[in-house]
PDB file of all heavy atoms in Angstrom:
ATOM      1  N   VAL A 299      18.648  -0.907  15.646  1.00 95.00           N
ATOM      2  CA  VAL A 299      19.068  -0.022  14.566  1.00 95.00           C
ATOM      3  C   VAL A 299      18.838  -0.720  13.236  1.00 95.00           C
ATOM      4  O   VAL A 299      19.287  -1.836  13.022  1.00 95.00           O
ATOM      5  CB  VAL A 299      20.558   0.342  14.692  1.00 95.00           C
ATOM      6  CG1 VAL A 299      20.934   1.406  13.678  1.00 95.00           C
ATOM      7  CG2 VAL A 299      20.864   0.801  16.106  1.00 95.00           C
ATOM      8  N   CYS A 371      23.276   5.819  19.996  1.00 96.00           N
ATOM      9  CA  CYS A 371      23.006   4.628  19.205  1.00 96.00           C
ATOM     10  C   CYS A 371      23.487   3.390  19.962  1.00 96.00           C
ATOM     11  O   CYS A 371      24.629   3.339  20.404  1.00 96.00           O
ATOM     12  CB  CYS A 371      23.730   4.728  17.867  1.00 96.00           C
ATOM     13  SG  CYS A 371      23.630   3.214  16.910  1.00 96.00           S
ATOM     14  N   SER A 373      24.386   0.749  18.876  1.00 95.00           N
ATOM     15  CA  SER A 373      25.434   0.035  18.155  1.00 95.00           C
ATOM     16  C   SER A 373      26.742   0.821  18.114  1.00 95.00           C
ATOM     17  O   SER A 373      27.793   0.295  18.461  1.00 95.00           O
ATOM     18  CB  SER A 373      24.967  -0.286  16.734  1.00 95.00           C
ATOM     19  OG  SER A 373      25.995  -0.903  16.016  1.00 95.00           O
ATOM     20  N   CYS A 374      26.689   2.089  17.709  1.00 96.00           N
ATOM     21  CA  CYS A 374      27.944   2.826  17.501  1.00 96.00           C
ATOM     22  C   CYS A 374      28.148   3.943  18.508  1.00 96.00           C
ATOM     23  O   CYS A 374      29.151   4.650  18.459  1.00 96.00           O
ATOM     24  CB  CYS A 374      28.013   3.381  16.081  1.00 96.00           C
ATOM     25  SG  CYS A 374      26.847   4.720  15.793  1.00 96.00           S
ATOM     26  N   ASN A 375      27.155   4.133  19.395  1.00 96.00           N
ATOM     27  CA  ASN A 375      27.305   5.114  20.454  1.00 96.00           C
ATOM     28  C   ASN A 375      27.272   6.582  20.009  1.00 96.00           C
ATOM     29  O   ASN A 375      27.543   7.466  20.802  1.00 96.00           O
ATOM     30  CB  ASN A 375      28.615   4.861  21.206  1.00 96.00           C
ATOM     31  CG  ASN A 375      28.339   4.585  22.663  1.00 96.00           C
ATOM     32  OD1 ASN A 375      27.173   4.657  23.102  1.00 96.00           O
ATOM     33  ND2 ASN A 375      29.373   4.285  23.423  1.00 96.00           N
ATOM     34  N   SER A 376      26.978   6.838  18.750  1.00 96.00           N
ATOM     35  CA  SER A 376      26.904   8.240  18.344  1.00 96.00           C
ATOM     36  C   SER A 376      25.555   8.812  18.790  1.00 96.00           C
ATOM     37  O   SER A 376      24.604   8.081  19.036  1.00 96.00           O
ATOM     38  CB  SER A 376      27.091   8.381  16.834  1.00 96.00           C
ATOM     39  OG  SER A 376      26.041   7.733  16.156  1.00 96.00           O
ATOM     40  N   CYS A 387      20.178   7.162  13.763  1.00 96.00           N
ATOM     41  CA  CYS A 387      21.631   7.193  13.875  1.00 96.00           C
ATOM     42  C   CYS A 387      22.151   7.619  12.505  1.00 96.00           C
ATOM     43  O   CYS A 387      21.861   6.976  11.500  1.00 96.00           O
ATOM     44  CB  CYS A 387      22.174   5.808  14.221  1.00 96.00           C
ATOM     45  SG  CYS A 387      23.952   5.679  13.988  1.00 96.00           S
ATOM     46  N   MET A 389      25.316   8.000  11.607  1.00 94.00           N
ATOM     47  CA  MET A 389      26.691   7.563  11.329  1.00 94.00           C
ATOM     48  C   MET A 389      26.665   6.450  10.282  1.00 94.00           C
ATOM     49  O   MET A 389      26.168   5.362  10.557  1.00 94.00           O
ATOM     50  CB  MET A 389      27.290   7.043  12.648  1.00 94.00           C
ATOM     51  CG  MET A 389      28.743   6.689  12.576  1.00 94.00           C
ATOM     52  SD  MET A 389      29.750   8.158  12.465  1.00 94.00           S
ATOM     53  CE  MET A 389      29.840   8.574  14.204  1.00 94.00           C
ATOM     54  N   CYS A 392      28.123   3.040  11.070  1.00 96.00           N
ATOM     55  CA  CYS A 392      27.515   2.359  12.227  1.00 96.00           C
ATOM     56  C   CYS A 392      27.424   0.854  11.966  1.00 96.00           C
ATOM     57  O   CYS A 392      26.825   0.422  10.994  1.00 96.00           O
ATOM     58  CB  CYS A 392      26.129   2.953  12.462  1.00 96.00           C
ATOM     59  SG  CYS A 392      25.146   2.078  13.678  1.00 96.00           S
ATOM     60  N   GLN A 395      24.033  -0.713  11.116  1.00 96.00           N
ATOM     61  CA  GLN A 395      23.525  -0.388   9.777  1.00 96.00           C
ATOM     62  C   GLN A 395      24.236  -1.212   8.714  1.00 96.00           C
ATOM     63  O   GLN A 395      23.620  -1.690   7.766  1.00 96.00           O
ATOM     64  CB  GLN A 395      23.709   1.104   9.480  1.00 96.00           C
ATOM     65  CG  GLN A 395      22.821   1.990  10.326  1.00 96.00           C
ATOM     66  CD  GLN A 395      22.992   3.463   9.972  1.00 96.00           C
ATOM     67  OE1 GLN A 395      23.025   3.840   8.807  1.00 96.00           O
ATOM     68  NE2 GLN A 395      23.115   4.297  10.977  1.00 96.00           N
TER      69      GLN A 395
HETATM   70 ZN1   ZN N  11      24.797   3.822  15.081  1.00 77.54          ZN
END
Side-chain angles (χ1 to χ4, degrees):
V299 188
C371 173
S373 177
C374 70
N375 240 356
S376 64
C387 166
M389 186 72 83
C392 171
Q395 291 182 45

